[in-house]
Amino acid sequence: MGPFDAVIHNAGIGYYGRSRVETEDGLSDVFAVNVLAPYLLTALVTPPERLIYLSSGMHHSGDTTLRDPQWTRRPWQGSQAYSESKLYLTALAMAVARRWPSTLSNAVDPGWVPTKMGGSSATDDLQAAPVTQAWLAAGDDSAARVTGSYFHHQQPRTPHPATRSRELQDRLLEYCAGLSQVGFPVG
């Protein structure tokens, strides 16, 4: 199909009131969908001009150790598993920005919005939620043509400091490569 102009990694699984669910491969479905799938899709496509990864403000509570990302040795805590998956996804966006300098790679917190996943008590604006990712995918102004940033409502925000750690990024890429048997290509 050739290269894409932009890819938005928008799929995600929440945690609300559910126990740990395994994929056929024995992986936590939260990790598989929120982290491994975007890793694989990124690793297998021709690098596009722009990549956008949907994160969450909850990534700030993620454990940065990568000690048990599948939750096989820890008692399941859905909220924490979700937070960690979004921390790893944000680190993936930063790793791609570092490794593929010709691709604009950014993470977005769309806000806590009233969707099936966000629930009816969510307080953010549903109409504003998709604006930032669309702007990063197609915007021509200089503010949208950046890489290695984290945004909320078209404004740069500070991500968890660990997401910018080369060590965490490389360990995450190695971990995903080991799970998938697909190495991350050189940019």
Side-chain angles (χ1 to χ4, degrees):
M1 292 177 57
F4 293 96
D5 295 327
V7 175
I8 301 173
H9 294 284
N10 191 39
I13 292 181
Y15 60 89
Y16 311 102
R18 59 195 290 275
S19 56
R20 183 181 181 277
V21 175
E22 278 191 7
T23 65
E24 288 182 25
D25 313 68
L27 303 175
S28 157
D29 68 342
V30 171
F31 185 89
V33 171
N34 294 358
V35 184
L36 191 58
Y39 166 86
L40 271 169
L41 289 170
T42 301
L44 293 173
V45 300
T46 301
E49 184 179 334
R50 302 175 191 204
L51 284 162
I52 299 95
Y53 298 84
L54 257 65
S55 185
S56 167
M58 290 179 68
H59 89 278
H60 286 282
S61 321
D63 178 1
T64 64
T65 63
L66 260 175
R67 65 184 163 98
D68 184 20
Q70 300 308 319
W71 289 81
T72 56
R73 295 181 303 276
R74 299 182 277 174
W76 176 255
Q77 294 177 11
S79 178
Q80 187 63 30
Y82 178 81
S83 296
E84 289 175 17
S85 76
K86 293 303 183 173
L87 178 119
Y88 302 146
L89 182 69
T90 304
L92 174 61
M94 302 306 158
V96 173
R98 176 174 56 90
R99 289 187 166 213
W100 290 355
S102 61
T103 295
L104 304 178
S105 176
N106 295 289
V108 174
D109 168 11
W112 182 34
V113 294
T115 62
K116 273 184 163 181
M117 192 164 139
S120 60
S121 57
T123 57
D124 217 330
D125 179 5
L126 181 60
Q127 300 301 314
V131 171
T132 303
Q133 53 263 38
W135 170 69
L136 287 170
D140 286 329
D141 59 312
S142 61
R145 297 194 57 79
V146 297
T147 193
S149 292
Y150 173 77
F151 288 91
H152 176 72
H153 295 314
Q154 292 182 279
Q155 296 299 311
R157 296 285 189 256
T158 302
H160 190 295
T163 64
R164 297 197 185 277
S165 162
R166 184 181 189 126
E167 178 190 354
L168 175 64
Q169 293 170 10
D170 289 345
R171 284 187 311 134
L172 175 65
L173 293 177
E174 289 171 19
Y175 180 72
C176 290
L179 287 176
S180 66
Q181 299 302 301
V182 174
F184 197 85
V186 177

